[in-house]
Amino acid sequence: ILEERPWLGELFLVAVYYRSLSSNEIAHNYQLGVTELVDPNFIWGGNINLSDAGGLKSANYLQFGLHNLATDGLDQNLGETQLPPIPAAGIFDVRFNLPANIGSLVDLRNSNVTSADFYLKFQPGTSGYPVTLNWDLTSLPEGSLFIKDVQTGSLINADMKTQNSLVITDPQIKELKIEYRESTTLNVGYNDSWNLISVPLLSSDMSFTSLFSNSSSAFKFNSSSGYIQSDTASNGEGYWLKFSGNQSILFEGIKASNPVQVNAGWNIIGPFDQPINSNQISTMPTGIITSDFFGYSGGYNSASSLQPGMAYWIKVTQNGELNFSGILNKNVDNYAEANPNAAIVITDNSGKKSSLMIFDKYSNLDRYELPPLPPTGVFDARFTTGKNAVSLESENVKVSVKGAAYPIRIKADGVSLQIKDVIDGSILNESIADGEEIMINNNSLNIFNVEIGAVNQIPTVFEVAQNYPNPCNQTTKIKFSIPTSPQTAEIVILKIYNTLGQEVTTLLNKPLQPGLHEVDFNASQLPSGVYFYSLKAGEYYSVKKMILIK
């Protein structure tokens, strides 16, 4: 150790030999003249003492903390020494119970951890309770440090950073847990207007005015009373919040604890400080989840990955809890994933969009139940059944649009539609072919009758049908199907040949999307006879014969 003291005009050199520090020497400063010796691998340490009603107490402070060289096992080089078994009742004893189930007066963990639980076991002497604990506030780290009973965590729950002693009177309490959580920060981006948000860390001030300076009032959801304005956030709970412009919020605090309590019906929950896959969420009781997880981004959408700072809807059958680890169990029937045959796409003037799905042959639509309607002013489009999917078995349906910025556009995707107002069709009565859309300027039109026409299904095989009629007189139709391929559009070539193999005409030579197609062939300029038509689309090729009789 080299230290220069210019005011003395001398240079002092102190030779120090290395040895393992004892439990009472860790994090202790030794004054060697004007030179200070400190263990450089020690991060932080807390000292705690315990005494019973008769004044019996631990001879030395028990010590706990973080150290660069510590493990969860017994680190004798750091002062952790295995104690004999707990003595008989009536004999005073106090110890830490290491993760390796070893008793020690010292419990150190590795400095890489951001959270740690230290378990303190004790038994008073014959004088019994109350048992009093004292600790040194000056040695405690940043972050949070709570001391709790191990039974429920609620009988005793003391903040060790704001008080330096604890008195225990309940003789049933014989073990305590010291919870350490490192303080951290997390940056989350939010979109302009309405968002489903959560607070991913436990901050010192959980009021919305402190956490979100440029936002509206926050609303939480209660299944019995609906939306309720909230002034203070709770970890694990989700809220509706409106921002003026895109926002980047920096959260600062400690990691929140599992699990999240849910009530029967719909709940808005938040996934804390780490991304969580929905299949990693377990429930207690098991099998109470009956819906997908739904986030919101200009409309409700099913989410497989839950992001910190965001919030998600989930529906459960009964009161319980969600734990962010394990395997998710649902009560809904097992079913294969299905792709919709068609969709009704609704877009408002601000770009918010919802796709309402149409299934041709799909009987179980339970999974497509949407969460409750958002607060007033939030864009939402759904079928009046409360779902975002219907079956073609119900040809006439109603669509509801809320919180939209007009004009809105309604597009038919893979289907033909007839859109009418719900009164008598005198205000709105429009037909929409596949791929077309209509624009609605009247903001009083927010519920529509929709008649679903023929679905343009994507075929699974390449097929060229026999022309009809055949034989034909002057005109005939040629139908063919193009399945989905790696290309988004194939060059389709349809040609007519005579019996000598000579090309008569080319009917098609352009890209076509996968689907069912039909071409009219006018043969009025050709003589009677036998002809052939060939169709080539990518790797597919087919030739068929037709007869022309005049």
Side-chain angles (χ1 to χ4, degrees), residues 472-473 499 523-531 546-550:
C472 63
N473 186 350
T499 54
S524 61
Q525 302 301 316
L526 298 177
S528 299
V530 175
Y531 294 87
M546 67 179 174
I547 300 173
L548 176 60
I549 299 177
K550 291 185 176 181

Side-chain angles (χ1 to χ4, degrees), residues 20-23 26 69 71 73-83 98 102 104 106:
S20 297
L21 299 178
S22 70
S23 62
I26 295 178
L69 306 179
T71 69
L74 185 67
D75 301 313
Q76 292 182 325
N77 61 314
L78 301 180
E80 295 179 351
T81 304
Q82 183 172 2
L83 296 175
L98 303 186
I102 296 173
S104 172
V106 178

Side-chain angles (χ1 to χ4, degrees), residues 82-117:
Q82 183 172 2
L83 296 175
I86 296 175
I91 300 177
F92 181 88
D93 185 81
V94 57
R95 62 184 64 200
F96 282 112
N97 193 36
L98 303 186
N101 200 27
I102 296 173
S104 172
L105 296 178
V106 178
D107 186 359
L108 298 178
R109 309 296 177 82
N110 193 270
S111 57
N112 290 326
V113 302
T114 58
S115 65
D117 295 334

Side-chain angles (χ1 to χ4, degrees), residues 195-273:
N195 293 257
L196 273 175
I197 67 98
S198 62
V199 178
L201 300 171
L202 179 60
S203 301
S204 57
D205 186 348
M206 293 289 282
S207 66
F208 282 101
T209 54
S210 172
L211 295 169
F212 307 95
S213 58
N214 188 19
S215 66
S216 67
S217 298
F219 294 92
K220 63 181 180 180
F221 181 79
N222 182 282
S223 57
S224 59
S225 54
Y227 292 109
I228 305 170
Q229 186 172 332
S230 181
D231 298 324
T232 304
S234 296
N235 295 125
E237 193 168 45
Y239 306 87
W240 282 105
L241 201 61
K242 184 179 182 181
F243 294 98
S244 299
N246 295 336
Q247 301 287 314
S248 180
I249 303 297
L250 181 66
F251 295 98
E252 183 175 4
I254 62 172
K255 294 188 175 185
S257 59
N258 254 317
V260 170
Q261 303 300 316
V262 289
N263 299 316
W266 285 100
N267 298 260
I268 313 179
I269 60 99
F272 299 133
D273 64 304

